[in-house]
Short mmCIF file of all heavy atoms in Angstrom, two decimals:
data_model
loop_
_atom_site.label_atom_id
_atom_site.label_comp_id
_atom_site.label_asym_id
_atom_site.label_seq_id
_atom_site.Cartn_x
_atom_site.Cartn_y
_atom_site.Cartn_z
N ALA A 1 0.83 -1.21 0.00
CA ALA A 1 0.00 0.00 0.00
C ALA A 1 0.86 1.26 0.00
O ALA A 1 0.41 2.33 -0.42
CB ALA A 1 -0.92 0.01 1.22
N GLN A 2 2.11 1.14 0.48
CA GLN A 2 3.01 2.30 0.54
C GLN A 2 4.17 2.22 -0.45
O GLN A 2 4.64 3.23 -0.94
CB GLN A 2 3.63 2.45 1.94
CG GLN A 2 2.70 2.95 3.02
CD GLN A 2 1.85 1.83 3.58
OE1 GLN A 2 2.31 0.70 3.67
NE2 GLN A 2 0.62 2.14 3.94
N ARG A 3 4.65 1.01 -0.70
CA ARG A 3 5.81 0.83 -1.57
C ARG A 3 5.47 -0.18 -2.66
O ARG A 3 4.70 -1.12 -2.44
CB ARG A 3 7.01 0.32 -0.74
CG ARG A 3 7.52 1.37 0.22
CD ARG A 3 8.44 0.78 1.28
NE ARG A 3 9.61 0.14 0.69
CZ ARG A 3 10.53 -0.52 1.43
NH1 ARG A 3 10.40 -0.61 2.74
NH2 ARG A 3 11.57 -1.07 0.85
N THR A 4 6.04 0.01 -3.82
CA THR A 4 5.65 -0.80 -4.98
C THR A 4 6.32 -2.17 -4.98
O THR A 4 7.54 -2.28 -4.89
CB THR A 4 6.01 -0.07 -6.29
OG1 THR A 4 5.29 1.16 -6.33
CG2 THR A 4 5.64 -0.91 -7.50
N PHE A 5 5.48 -3.20 -5.06
CA PHE A 5 5.92 -4.57 -5.24
C PHE A 5 5.20 -5.09 -6.49
O PHE A 5 3.99 -5.33 -6.44
CB PHE A 5 5.57 -5.41 -4.01
CG PHE A 5 6.28 -4.98 -2.77
CD1 PHE A 5 5.71 -4.06 -1.89
CD2 PHE A 5 7.55 -5.47 -2.47
CE1 PHE A 5 6.37 -3.65 -0.76
CE2 PHE A 5 8.21 -5.06 -1.33
CZ PHE A 5 7.63 -4.15 -0.47
N PRO A 6 5.91 -5.23 -7.60
CA PRO A 6 5.26 -5.51 -8.89
C PRO A 6 4.29 -6.69 -8.86
O PRO A 6 3.25 -6.65 -9.52
CB PRO A 6 6.44 -5.78 -9.83
CG PRO A 6 7.56 -4.99 -9.24
CD PRO A 6 7.38 -5.08 -7.75
N PHE A 7 4.60 -7.73 -8.10
CA PHE A 7 3.75 -8.93 -8.12
C PHE A 7 2.41 -8.71 -7.43
O PHE A 7 1.51 -9.53 -7.57
CB PHE A 7 4.49 -10.11 -7.45
CG PHE A 7 4.89 -9.84 -6.02
CD1 PHE A 7 4.01 -10.02 -4.97
CD2 PHE A 7 6.18 -9.41 -5.73
CE1 PHE A 7 4.39 -9.77 -3.67
CE2 PHE A 7 6.58 -9.16 -4.43
CZ PHE A 7 5.67 -9.34 -3.38
N TYR A 8 2.26 -7.62 -6.68
CA TYR A 8 1.03 -7.42 -5.89
C TYR A 8 -0.07 -6.72 -6.68
O TYR A 8 -1.19 -6.61 -6.23
CB TYR A 8 1.38 -6.64 -4.62
CG TYR A 8 0.57 -7.05 -3.40
CD1 TYR A 8 0.63 -8.36 -2.91
CD2 TYR A 8 -0.25 -6.15 -2.74
CE1 TYR A 8 -0.10 -8.74 -1.80
CE2 TYR A 8 -0.98 -6.52 -1.63
CZ TYR A 8 -0.91 -7.81 -1.16
OH TYR A 8 -1.63 -8.19 -0.05
N THR A 9 0.25 -6.20 -7.83
CA THR A 9 -0.65 -5.55 -8.80
C THR A 9 -1.81 -4.79 -8.15
O THR A 9 -1.59 -3.91 -7.32
CB THR A 9 -1.13 -6.56 -9.86
OG1 THR A 9 -2.02 -7.49 -9.31
CG2 THR A 9 0.03 -7.31 -10.48
N ASP A 10 -3.06 -5.11 -8.52
CA ASP A 10 -4.17 -4.27 -8.05
C ASP A 10 -4.51 -4.46 -6.57
O ASP A 10 -5.22 -3.64 -5.99
CB ASP A 10 -5.43 -4.49 -8.91
CG ASP A 10 -5.98 -5.91 -8.85
OD1 ASP A 10 -5.24 -6.84 -8.48
OD2 ASP A 10 -7.16 -6.09 -9.22
N MET A 11 -3.98 -5.50 -5.94
CA MET A 11 -4.19 -5.65 -4.50
C MET A 11 -3.49 -4.54 -3.73
O MET A 11 -3.93 -4.17 -2.64
CB MET A 11 -3.68 -7.01 -4.02
CG MET A 11 -4.68 -8.14 -4.20
SD MET A 11 -6.21 -7.91 -3.22
CE MET A 11 -5.56 -8.08 -1.56
N ALA A 12 -2.41 -3.99 -4.29
CA ALA A 12 -1.74 -2.87 -3.64
C ALA A 12 -2.68 -1.67 -3.54
O ALA A 12 -2.75 -0.99 -2.50
CB ALA A 12 -0.48 -2.49 -4.42
N ASP A 13 -3.43 -1.41 -4.59
CA ASP A 13 -4.40 -0.31 -4.59
C ASP A 13 -5.52 -0.57 -3.59
O ASP A 13 -5.97 0.32 -2.87
CB ASP A 13 -4.97 -0.12 -5.99
CG ASP A 13 -3.89 0.19 -7.02
OD1 ASP A 13 -2.99 0.97 -6.71
OD2 ASP A 13 -3.96 -0.38 -8.12
N ALA A 14 -5.96 -1.81 -3.55
CA ALA A 14 -7.02 -2.18 -2.60
C ALA A 14 -6.56 -1.98 -1.16
O ALA A 14 -7.31 -1.47 -0.32
CB ALA A 14 -7.45 -3.62 -2.84
N LYS A 15 -5.33 -2.38 -0.87
CA LYS A 15 -4.81 -2.23 0.50
C LYS A 15 -4.63 -0.76 0.86
O LYS A 15 -4.83 -0.37 2.03
CB LYS A 15 -3.49 -2.97 0.65
CG LYS A 15 -3.61 -4.49 0.59
CD LYS A 15 -4.49 -5.05 1.70
CE LYS A 15 -4.44 -6.57 1.74
NZ LYS A 15 -5.36 -7.14 2.76
N ALA A 16 -4.26 0.08 -0.11
CA ALA A 16 -4.15 1.51 0.15
C ALA A 16 -5.51 2.10 0.54
O ALA A 16 -5.62 2.92 1.46
CB ALA A 16 -3.59 2.23 -1.07
N ILE A 17 -6.56 1.66 -0.14
CA ILE A 17 -7.91 2.11 0.20
C ILE A 17 -8.31 1.59 1.57
O ILE A 17 -8.89 2.31 2.39
CB ILE A 17 -8.92 1.66 -0.88
CG1 ILE A 17 -8.61 2.36 -2.22
CG2 ILE A 17 -10.35 1.97 -0.45
CD1 ILE A 17 -9.42 1.83 -3.39
N LEU A 18 -8.00 0.32 1.83
CA LEU A 18 -8.31 -0.28 3.14
C LEU A 18 -7.71 0.55 4.27
O LEU A 18 -8.38 0.88 5.25
CB LEU A 18 -7.75 -1.70 3.19
CG LEU A 18 -7.90 -2.44 4.52
CD1 LEU A 18 -9.23 -3.18 4.56
CD2 LEU A 18 -6.77 -3.45 4.71
N GLU A 19 -6.45 0.93 4.14
CA GLU A 19 -5.78 1.68 5.20
C GLU A 19 -6.37 3.08 5.35
O GLU A 19 -6.47 3.61 6.46
CB GLU A 19 -4.28 1.73 4.92
CG GLU A 19 -3.61 0.37 5.06
CD GLU A 19 -2.15 0.38 4.67
OE1 GLU A 19 -1.54 1.47 4.61
OE2 GLU A 19 -1.59 -0.72 4.43
N SER A 20 -6.76 3.69 4.24
CA SER A 20 -7.41 5.00 4.30
C SER A 20 -8.76 4.91 5.01
O SER A 20 -9.11 5.77 5.82
CB SER A 20 -7.59 5.56 2.89
OG SER A 20 -8.21 6.83 2.92
N ILE A 21 -9.50 3.85 4.72
CA ILE A 21 -10.78 3.64 5.40
C ILE A 21 -10.58 3.49 6.90
O ILE A 21 -11.36 4.01 7.70
CB ILE A 21 -11.50 2.41 4.81
CG1 ILE A 21 -12.01 2.72 3.39
CG2 ILE A 21 -12.65 1.95 5.71
CD1 ILE A 21 -12.51 1.50 2.64
N ALA A 22 -9.52 2.78 7.30
CA ALA A 22 -9.23 2.61 8.74
C ALA A 22 -9.05 3.96 9.41
O ALA A 22 -9.53 4.18 10.53
CB ALA A 22 -8.00 1.74 8.92
N ARG A 23 -8.34 4.86 8.76
CA ARG A 23 -8.12 6.19 9.35
C ARG A 23 -9.42 7.00 9.39
O ARG A 23 -9.77 7.61 10.42
CB ARG A 23 -7.06 6.94 8.56
CG ARG A 23 -5.66 6.35 8.69
CD ARG A 23 -4.63 7.23 8.01
NE ARG A 23 -4.77 7.27 6.56
CZ ARG A 23 -4.20 6.40 5.73
NH1 ARG A 23 -3.45 5.42 6.21
NH2 ARG A 23 -4.36 6.51 4.43
N SER A 24 -10.14 7.00 8.26
CA SER A 24 -11.35 7.81 8.18
C SER A 24 -12.44 7.33 9.11
O SER A 24 -13.08 8.11 9.82
CB SER A 24 -11.87 7.83 6.73
OG SER A 24 -10.92 8.41 5.87
N PHE A 25 -12.67 6.00 9.13
CA PHE A 25 -13.71 5.46 10.01
C PHE A 25 -13.21 5.42 11.45
O PHE A 25 -13.99 5.56 12.40
CB PHE A 25 -14.14 4.07 9.56
CG PHE A 25 -15.64 3.87 9.63
CD1 PHE A 25 -16.36 3.56 8.49
CD2 PHE A 25 -16.32 4.00 10.83
CE1 PHE A 25 -17.73 3.38 8.53
CE2 PHE A 25 -17.71 3.83 10.89
CZ PHE A 25 -18.41 3.52 9.74
N GLY A 26 -11.90 5.24 11.62
CA GLY A 26 -11.35 5.21 12.97
C GLY A 26 -11.60 6.50 13.73
O GLY A 26 -11.90 6.48 14.93
N TYR A 27 -11.51 7.63 13.03
CA TYR A 27 -11.80 8.91 13.67
C TYR A 27 -13.25 8.96 14.13
O TYR A 27 -13.56 9.29 15.28
CB TYR A 27 -11.53 10.07 12.70
CG TYR A 27 -11.97 11.40 13.26
CD1 TYR A 27 -11.16 12.10 14.15
CD2 TYR A 27 -13.21 11.94 12.93
CE1 TYR A 27 -11.58 13.31 14.69
CE2 TYR A 27 -13.64 13.14 13.46
CZ TYR A 27 -12.83 13.82 14.34
OH TYR A 27 -13.25 15.02 14.88
N ARG A 28 -14.14 8.57 13.24
CA ARG A 28 -15.57 8.67 13.55
C ARG A 28 -15.99 7.66 14.62
O ARG A 28 -16.78 7.99 15.51
CB ARG A 28 -16.37 8.49 12.26
CG ARG A 28 -16.19 9.66 11.30
CD ARG A 28 -16.59 9.32 9.88
NE ARG A 28 -16.55 10.51 9.02
CZ ARG A 28 -15.44 10.97 8.43
NH1 ARG A 28 -14.30 10.35 8.63
NH2 ARG A 28 -15.49 12.04 7.68
N TYR A 29 -15.46 6.44 14.55
CA TYR A 29 -15.84 5.43 15.54
C TYR A 29 -15.23 5.75 16.91
O TYR A 29 -15.82 5.44 17.95
CB TYR A 29 -15.38 4.03 15.08
CG TYR A 29 -16.47 2.98 15.15
CD1 TYR A 29 -16.55 1.96 14.20
CD2 TYR A 29 -17.41 2.98 16.19
CE1 TYR A 29 -17.55 0.99 14.26
CE2 TYR A 29 -18.40 2.02 16.25
CZ TYR A 29 -18.47 1.03 15.28
OH TYR A 29 -19.46 0.07 15.36
N GLY A 30 -14.07 6.38 16.88
CA GLY A 30 -13.46 6.80 18.14
C GLY A 30 -14.29 7.86 18.84
O GLY A 30 -14.51 7.81 20.06
N LYS A 31 -14.78 8.83 18.08
CA LYS A 31 -15.62 9.89 18.66
C LYS A 31 -16.96 9.33 19.13
O LYS A 31 -17.50 9.77 20.14
CB LYS A 31 -15.86 10.98 17.61
CG LYS A 31 -14.61 11.69 17.13
CD LYS A 31 -14.03 12.62 18.18
CE LYS A 31 -14.86 13.87 18.35
NZ LYS A 31 -14.22 14.83 19.28
N TYR A 32 -17.46 8.35 18.40
CA TYR A 32 -18.80 7.81 18.68
C TYR A 32 -18.83 6.87 19.87
O TYR A 32 -19.70 6.99 20.75
CB TYR A 32 -19.28 7.08 17.42
CG TYR A 32 -20.60 6.36 17.53
CD1 TYR A 32 -21.77 7.02 17.90
CD2 TYR A 32 -20.68 5.00 17.24
CE1 TYR A 32 -22.98 6.36 17.98
CE2 TYR A 32 -21.89 4.32 17.32
CZ TYR A 32 -23.03 4.99 17.69
OH TYR A 32 -24.23 4.32 17.77
N ARG A 33 -17.86 5.93 19.93
CA ARG A 33 -17.91 4.91 20.98
C ARG A 33 -16.52 4.53 21.52
O ARG A 33 -16.37 3.47 22.11
CB ARG A 33 -18.58 3.63 20.45
CG ARG A 33 -20.08 3.66 20.40
CD ARG A 33 -20.71 3.55 21.80
NE ARG A 33 -22.14 3.43 21.72
CZ ARG A 33 -23.00 4.45 21.71
NH1 ARG A 33 -22.53 5.69 21.75
NH2 ARG A 33 -24.28 4.25 21.64
N GLN A 34 -15.53 5.37 21.26
CA GLN A 34 -14.16 5.05 21.67
C GLN A 34 -13.69 3.70 21.09
O GLN A 34 -12.87 3.01 21.70
CB GLN A 34 -14.01 5.03 23.20
CG GLN A 34 -14.28 6.36 23.89
CD GLN A 34 -15.77 6.61 24.06
OE1 GLN A 34 -16.50 5.75 24.54
NE2 GLN A 34 -16.23 7.78 23.64
N VAL A 35 -14.25 3.35 19.94
CA VAL A 35 -13.84 2.12 19.27
C VAL A 35 -12.56 2.39 18.48
O VAL A 35 -12.47 3.38 17.75
CB VAL A 35 -14.94 1.58 18.35
CG1 VAL A 35 -14.43 0.43 17.49
CG2 VAL A 35 -16.15 1.13 19.17
N ARG A 36 -11.58 1.52 18.63
CA ARG A 36 -10.30 1.65 17.94
C ARG A 36 -10.34 0.92 16.60
O ARG A 36 -10.92 -0.16 16.51
CB ARG A 36 -9.18 1.04 18.79
CG ARG A 36 -8.97 1.72 20.13
CD ARG A 36 -8.25 0.79 21.10
NE ARG A 36 -9.15 -0.16 21.72
CZ ARG A 36 -8.76 -1.35 22.18
NH1 ARG A 36 -7.52 -1.75 22.05
NH2 ARG A 36 -9.64 -2.15 22.77
N VAL A 37 -9.69 1.52 15.61
CA VAL A 37 -9.60 0.89 14.28
C VAL A 37 -8.15 0.96 13.82
O VAL A 37 -7.59 2.05 13.67
CB VAL A 37 -10.51 1.60 13.25
CG1 VAL A 37 -10.41 0.89 11.90
CG2 VAL A 37 -11.95 1.65 13.73
N ASN A 38 -7.54 -0.18 13.60
CA ASN A 38 -6.14 -0.25 13.18
C ASN A 38 -5.96 -1.29 12.08
O ASN A 38 -6.76 -2.22 11.94
CB ASN A 38 -5.24 -0.61 14.37
CG ASN A 38 -5.24 0.47 15.44
OD1 ASN A 38 -4.71 1.55 15.24
ND2 ASN A 38 -5.87 0.17 16.58
N THR A 39 -4.88 -1.13 11.32
CA THR A 39 -4.48 -2.15 10.36
C THR A 39 -3.11 -2.69 10.76
O THR A 39 -2.27 -1.96 11.29
CB THR A 39 -4.42 -1.59 8.92
OG1 THR A 39 -3.57 -0.45 8.89
CG2 THR A 39 -5.81 -1.20 8.44
N VAL A 40 -2.89 -3.96 10.51
CA VAL A 40 -1.61 -4.60 10.78
C VAL A 40 -0.99 -5.01 9.46
O VAL A 40 -1.57 -5.79 8.69
CB VAL A 40 -1.77 -5.83 11.71
CG1 VAL A 40 -0.45 -6.60 11.80
CG2 VAL A 40 -2.23 -5.39 13.09
N SER A 41 0.18 -4.45 9.18
CA SER A 41 0.92 -4.74 7.96
C SER A 41 1.91 -5.85 8.25
O SER A 41 2.97 -5.63 8.83
CB SER A 41 1.63 -3.47 7.48
OG SER A 41 2.21 -3.67 6.21
N GLN A 42 1.56 -7.05 7.85
CA GLN A 42 2.28 -8.26 8.21
C GLN A 42 3.37 -8.60 7.20
O GLN A 42 3.30 -8.25 6.03
CB GLN A 42 1.26 -9.41 8.32
CG GLN A 42 1.82 -10.81 8.34
CD GLN A 42 2.56 -11.15 9.63
OE1 GLN A 42 2.72 -10.32 10.51
NE2 GLN A 42 3.03 -12.38 9.74
N SER A 43 4.40 -9.28 7.67
CA SER A 43 5.42 -9.84 6.78
C SER A 43 4.77 -10.72 5.72
O SER A 43 3.66 -11.24 5.92
CB SER A 43 6.37 -10.75 7.57
OG SER A 43 7.15 -10.03 8.49
N PRO A 44 5.44 -10.94 4.58
CA PRO A 44 4.93 -11.96 3.65
C PRO A 44 4.81 -13.28 4.40
O PRO A 44 5.74 -13.71 5.08
CB PRO A 44 6.00 -12.02 2.55
CG PRO A 44 7.20 -11.36 3.12
CD PRO A 44 6.71 -10.36 4.12
N THR A 45 3.64 -13.88 4.31
CA THR A 45 3.33 -15.07 5.11
C THR A 45 2.81 -16.17 4.19
O THR A 45 1.91 -15.92 3.38
CB THR A 45 2.26 -14.72 6.17
OG1 THR A 45 2.68 -13.57 6.89
CG2 THR A 45 2.04 -15.88 7.13
N PRO A 46 3.36 -17.37 4.29
CA PRO A 46 2.96 -18.45 3.38
C PRO A 46 1.57 -19.02 3.69
O PRO A 46 1.42 -20.12 4.20
CB PRO A 46 4.06 -19.50 3.57
CG PRO A 46 4.58 -19.25 4.95
CD PRO A 46 4.47 -17.77 5.18
N THR A 47 0.55 -18.23 3.38
CA THR A 47 -0.83 -18.68 3.51
C THR A 47 -1.30 -19.25 2.18
O THR A 47 -0.63 -19.12 1.15
CB THR A 47 -1.74 -17.52 3.91
OG1 THR A 47 -1.70 -16.52 2.87
CG2 THR A 47 -1.29 -16.89 5.23
#
């Protein structure tokens, strides 16, 4: 979502949107119910 990895193609764009949503909704959910919203950027994992 932050740095280019050619093999990740359009999923990189999707993850960038995901992280933006976390920030935007995190602000609103925090004000509403003190609910925390975070994303975890994990190492490449053999799933």
Side-chain angles (χ1 to χ4, degrees):
Q2 286 82 34
R3 292 165 60 184
T4 299
F5 296 93
F7 59 83
Y8 216 61
T9 71
D10 63 340
M11 276 297 293
D13 301 318
K15 291 299 188 184
I17 295 171
L18 176 89
E19 292 175 18
S20 180
I21 289 170
R23 292 187 292 272
S24 297
F25 222 120
Y27 173 81
R28 291 162 174 83
Y29 230 145
K31 298 288 287 185
Y32 175 58
R33 280 287 186 271
Q34 297 80 50
V35 171
R36 298 159 279 154
V37 182
N38 295 290
T39 55
V40 171
S41 187
Q42 165 70 357
S43 293
T45 308
T47 61

